[in-house]
Amino acid sequence: MTTTIKHEHFKTRHRHLDVSVDVQHCHIPDDERTRLQEDLARLGDELLEFPESHLRLSIVYHPNQEEYHAQAWLKLPEKRFVAGRYSPWLDYSLMRCFAKLRRHVESYKEEASLPANGSSTARPAINGAFVPSTEHVLDALDKAVQWQDYRLFRRGLAGYEDWLRAHVASWVGRYPQMTRQLGETIDIDDIVEEVFLMAFEQFPQRPKEPTLSDWLSKLIDPALKTVWHNPDERENVDFARTFGTGSELLDAAHAAARRSKPK
């Protein structure tokens, strides 16, 4: 019979990263502890350029919902980030939580490296983001859709991601209730990914006018409402972002479904 640990707290340090971990209502298996230490070490390496950083990680199992909730708060000099993920599977919850944190860190480092008076040929959008000035990616996107290759489609839209993320963040502000849930049950990246998934599905029917960026903008509100009202879609979005679509996504979903839940 497995004994459930009601509460566990431990601290560790990786490079310049101080880590505090709280575990409630679950036991972390040895293999998962090893993966957790690897994730922390990887994050510590990515934060090496900062003189100090602090991470608080909370892992809670909710027996009524049969879900884990991994949530992390990262403090850097002059910047704070939060990332979280609910999932029936502990390893998946932690994996997505750390993936979101790394995306936040990567974006922050990229922004910090931009020249103060740098120039760009793109036209400015909102919140300092830029809209790509050309639509040269259409042929590549069309081929990706014909081949049913979401990863290729996603790479073709990489130049729109920062602009779209800023646009989504601004749009979420229209829904105060959703804004309060950011970093908890939903994430800006989830909505961005849902926009790309909708674009992938609807691309053959895309109107020739307006521009690609204007068309993506019109997908934000339906994508936002889909993620907000359909928790299952959040998992689909995460699987798509992590594994792709088609047979890769199906295999990943089947593998996840075979994992056991705590007794």
Side-chain angles (χ1 to χ4, degrees):
M1 180 177 179
T2 302
T3 301
T4 301
I5 297 177
K6 295 300 182 182
H7 184 264
E8 179 185 3
H9 176 80
F10 61 90
K11 295 183 178 181
T12 184
R13 183 176 177 86
H14 296 270
R15 303 282 189 160
H16 300 164
L17 176 65
D18 286 318
V19 181
S20 174
V21 181
D22 284 293
V23 183
Q24 296 185 47
H25 308 303
C26 63
H27 169 73
I28 303 180
D30 290 342
D31 58 341
E32 192 60 50
R33 287 178 185 271
T34 299
R35 285 192 290 270
L36 175 59
Q37 292 297 328
E38 291 171 351
D39 282 331
L40 292 172
R42 179 180 175 186
L43 184 61
D45 289 341
E46 293 176 355
L47 296 172
L48 195 57
E49 65 189 75
F50 300 100
E52 61 177 347
S53 53
H54 303 272
L55 176 72
R56 178 191 164 203
L57 176 64
S58 170
I59 303 170
V60 181
Y61 180 68
H62 299 277
N64 292 337
Q65 293 80 22
E66 295 188 315
E67 280 191 319
Y68 292 94
H69 183 206
Q71 184 158 10
W73 296 264
L74 177 63
K75 180 181 178 183
L76 301 178
E78 302 181 359
K79 196 71 175 180
R80 294 172 184 261
F81 300 107
V82 61
R85 170 54 55 190
Y86 283 91
S87 175
W89 307 288
L90 174 59
D91 56 348
Y92 187 74
S93 178
L94 286 168
M95 179 181 70
R96 295 313 312 160
C97 181
F98 277 103
K100 290 179 182 180
L101 266 188
R102 287 194 295 270
R103 284 198 299 274
H104 287 317
V105 171
E106 289 169 2
S107 297
Y108 178 52
K109 290 164 71 172
E110 288 174 2
E111 291 172 4
S113 66
L114 291 176
N117 297 315
S119 60
S120 173
T121 58
R123 59 185 177 91
I126 58 173
N127 297 339
F130 291 89
V131 181
S133 58
T134 65
E135 304 292 329
H136 66 281
V137 298
L138 290 176
D139 288 342
L141 296 179
D142 187 59
K143 289 180 180 178
V145 171
Q146 290 179 24
W147 297 338
Q148 284 297 288
D149 189 332
Y150 177 70
R151 283 187 171 181
L152 183 61
F153 184 85
R154 187 69 172 74
R155 286 197 296 270
L157 287 173
Y160 290 80
E161 186 165 352
D162 289 342
W163 161 79
L164 184 59
R165 185 175 289 108
H167 205 348
V168 167
S170 176
W171 199 274
V172 168
R174 303 183 182 193
Y175 301 91
Q177 186 177 6
M178 182 178 292
T179 302
R180 290 192 291 269
Q181 293 295 319
L182 286 178
E184 291 283 346
T185 57
I186 61 172
D187 187 88
I188 292 293
D189 287 334
D190 293 340
I191 303 169
V192 169
E193 202 68 34
E194 181 65 24
V195 170
F196 287 144
L197 285 168
M198 286 185 169
F200 182 67
E201 295 170 356
Q202 301 176 25
F203 192 81
Q205 293 79 41
R206 181 185 69 86
K208 301 305 179 184
E209 298 291 341
T211 63
L212 181 57
S213 55
D214 289 335
W215 178 63
L216 290 172
S217 295
K218 293 181 178 180
L219 297 178
I220 291 177
D221 198 66
L224 184 151
K225 291 176 180 176
T226 297
V227 172
W228 174 246
H229 293 298
N230 187 357
D232 290 338
E233 185 62 22
R234 299 171 203 162
E235 294 299 321
N236 294 338
V237 163
D238 263 341
F239 271 116
R241 187 161 54 222
T242 306
F243 299 106
T245 57
S247 60
E248 291 178 281
L249 176 57
L250 187 60
D251 291 344
H254 287 170
R258 289 194 295 268
R259 298 172 188 167
S260 60
K261 299 177 183 178
K263 305 297 184 182

